[in-house]
Amino acid sequence: MKVLVTGGAGYIGSNTLVELIAAGHEIFVVDNLVNGKKSTIDAVMNISNQRFVFFDCDITNRENLSCLLDKVKPDVVMHFAGVKSVNESISNPIYYYDNNFYGTSCLLHSMDQVGCKKIIFSSSATVYDPKGEPPYTESHPTRPINPYGRSKLFSENILEDWASLDRDRSAICLRYFNPAGAHTSGALGEDPRVEPTNLMPIILKVASQSIERLNVFGGDYPTDDGSCERDYIHVTDLAKGHVAALDRVRSLLGYNIFNLGSGEPTSVLDLVMKFSLVTGVEIPYQIVSRRLGRLSEVVGKC
Ligand code: NAD
Ligand code: WQD
């Protein structure tokens, strides 16, 4: 299929490009490089030994986006473009709604203009109500607790409304748990321009000694070792999940949601230990107080 990938210069998008090319799809990429890098696009071309068209364009620029879609006329859009820092979304919520929600609306508008009726969207487990008991299935109630999460849920809502208007339309929302890891080449990992707040990039910074030690948020959770549990999914598995969704997008009509996780809980201390075991690098850490405004434990059920 001819697939337009938004946000393809980012962490998950770039890993997915490799799998899409390997599966024989024709790809086109659009990214404004606010957090992605052109060198990541070059790395995908090197790994896949294939060239493809890259557009440096902001999806909230309706005019440019419509022009671009008119040129490409994709069968399917895979929509990764978005900003994703919870902290930044709290200090600058309007940017998050503009970029993530309005960006999705612009995309649907441009898709309508060229008759593209299929979209696969990067959503997040952060949309779930943190009050309920994990594991969270797709039917668990939603109630995001920060502007980032709300920008994702509002985007899901607009996709649901859009999909209901025409029986040939398909919108697949993939709710990721905690993506981690890198492509086996080592060339496509999580390397954000902004200061990382996610666990794995921070562990990597400690390993490379640019941060002295890891602060483990909370040592009094009701888990085996007292540290907080999450559901980590390897980025290559996540990427393959997108190819699987693409295989179904023509037959799976309407609006559908799928969790993408491993279903297995891993604690922060487990992850630190496993990291040291695999790399041989010690990660100094200290237990500090719990981080506020976040989910306590999240485990997916797919
Ligand atoms: P990322 O920041 O590495 O990639 C996002 C890409 O989108 C970047 O290359 C960025 O430059 C681009 N982008 C952002 N706004 C844009 C705009 N207006 N126009 C064009 N390009 C734009 O992030 P990621 O980790 O690869 O995440 C990809 C998607 O998955 C995001 O939508 C994110 O919300 C979602 N998600 C990520 C996680 C996670 O933990 N990484 C978890 C759940 C959901
Ligand atoms: C993982 C675990 C922390 C940093 C966030 C977003 C969510 C989603 C994924 C996109 C937790 C612990 C972390 C540190 C630590 N993103 N930790 N010390 O909180 O599950 O979710 O990223 O949709 O929206 O909220 O991920 O990587 O920040 O934390 O102890 O310095 O690591 O408490 O248990 P989280 P994370």
Side-chain angles (χ1 to χ4, degrees):
M1 277 185 262
K2 200 192 262 192
V3 188
L4 178 70
V5 179
T6 76
Y11 171 48
I12 303 167
S14 60
N15 278 279
T16 305
L17 291 178
V18 173
E19 300 304 323
L20 288 172
I21 294 170
H25 296 288
E26 186 185 1
I27 57 163
F28 297 81
V29 180
V30 49
D31 197 301
N32 67 354
L33 304 180
V34 67
N35 198 36
K37 294 182 180 134
K38 180 63 180 48
S39 56
T40 300
I41 295 293
D42 298 337
V44 173
M45 291 185 185
N46 284 336
I47 291 166
S48 308
N49 200 17
Q50 186 160 318
R51 303 199 67 73
F52 50 85
V53 179
F54 169 70
F55 300 95
D56 181 348
C57 168
D58 191 315
I59 60 162
T60 62
N61 183 328
R62 271 198 180 194
E63 210 175 306
N64 287 354
L65 189 69
S66 290
C67 235
L68 191 160
L69 264 98
D70 194 46
K71 267 193 206 140
V72 175
K73 296 197 171 54
D75 300 313
V76 184
V77 171
M78 231 178 233
H79 180 28
F80 295 93
V83 280
K84 60 166 183 178
S85 159
V86 171
N87 290 348
E88 189 185 37
S89 82
I90 292 166
S91 58
N92 195 355
I94 305 303
Y95 173 47
Y96 272 66
Y97 294 124
D98 269 354
N99 198 74
N100 293 356
F101 175 67
Y102 176 68
T104 302
S105 152
C106 290
L107 196 55
L108 293 174
H109 176 81
S110 303
M111 285 167 63
D112 283 350
Q113 287 182 328
V114 295
C116 177
K117 297 185 176 188
K118 318 281 179 206
I119 183 165
I120 297 171
F121 173 61
S122 299
S123 192
S124 169
T126 201
V127 299
Y128 288 121
D129 185 343
K131 279 262 167 62
E133 279 294 302
Y136 296 161
T137 62
E138 290 83 350
S139 54
H140 187 85
T142 51
R143 190 179 62 85
I145 55 175
N146 51 59
Y148 165 69
R150 283 188 283 275
S151 77
K152 285 285 163 188
L153 186 61
F154 297 165
S155 300
E156 287 194 2
N157 294 156
I158 192 176
L159 285 166
E160 185 172 10
D161 291 339
W162 175 85
S164 72
L165 288 179
D166 177 333
R167 63 198 177 107
D168 291 333
R169 287 186 182 173
S170 170
I172 299 181
C173 286
L174 300 177
R175 290 180 179 159
Y176 315 156
F177 282 76
N178 289 62
H183 185 261
T184 45
S185 63
L188 302 174
E190 195 172 5
D191 184 18
R193 283 186 193 279
V194 289
E195 201 51 39
T197 55
N198 289 117
L199 181 58
M200 191 54 111
I202 292 177
I203 290 180
L204 288 165
K205 282 198 174 254
V206 177
S208 62
Q209 295 178 349
S210 55
I211 296 181
E212 201 181 333
R213 66 173 66 84
L214 169 73
N215 286 326
V216 175
F217 298 136
D220 56 354
Y221 283 100
T223 57
D224 286 351
D225 61 25
S227 70
C228 191
E229 288 179 342
R230 289 287 190 262
D231 177 332
Y232 296 93
I233 173 167
H234 194 277
V235 69
T236 304
D237 292 332
L238 195 59
K240 288 182 173 158
H242 287 76
V243 178
L246 192 57
D247 288 344
R248 294 288 308 279
V249 80
R250 279 193 170 132
S251 54
L252 196 64
L253 299 174
Y255 176 70
N256 290 280
I257 301 168
F258 297 98
N259 281 346
L260 280 183
S262 65
E264 292 293 323
T266 303
S267 73
V268 178
L269 293 178
D270 266 346
L271 199 73
V272 167
M273 235 172 47
K274 281 176 189 154
F275 183 93
S276 297
L277 201 70
V278 171
T279 60
V281 179
E282 280 295 308
I283 300 297
Y285 67 84
Q286 61 186 354
I287 311 270
V288 299
S289 52
R290 290 183 182 199
R291 187 173 55 174
L292 295 176
R294 303 297 183 103
L295 305 178
S296 54
E297 291 170 74
V298 188
V299 178
K301 195 155 193 317
C302 306

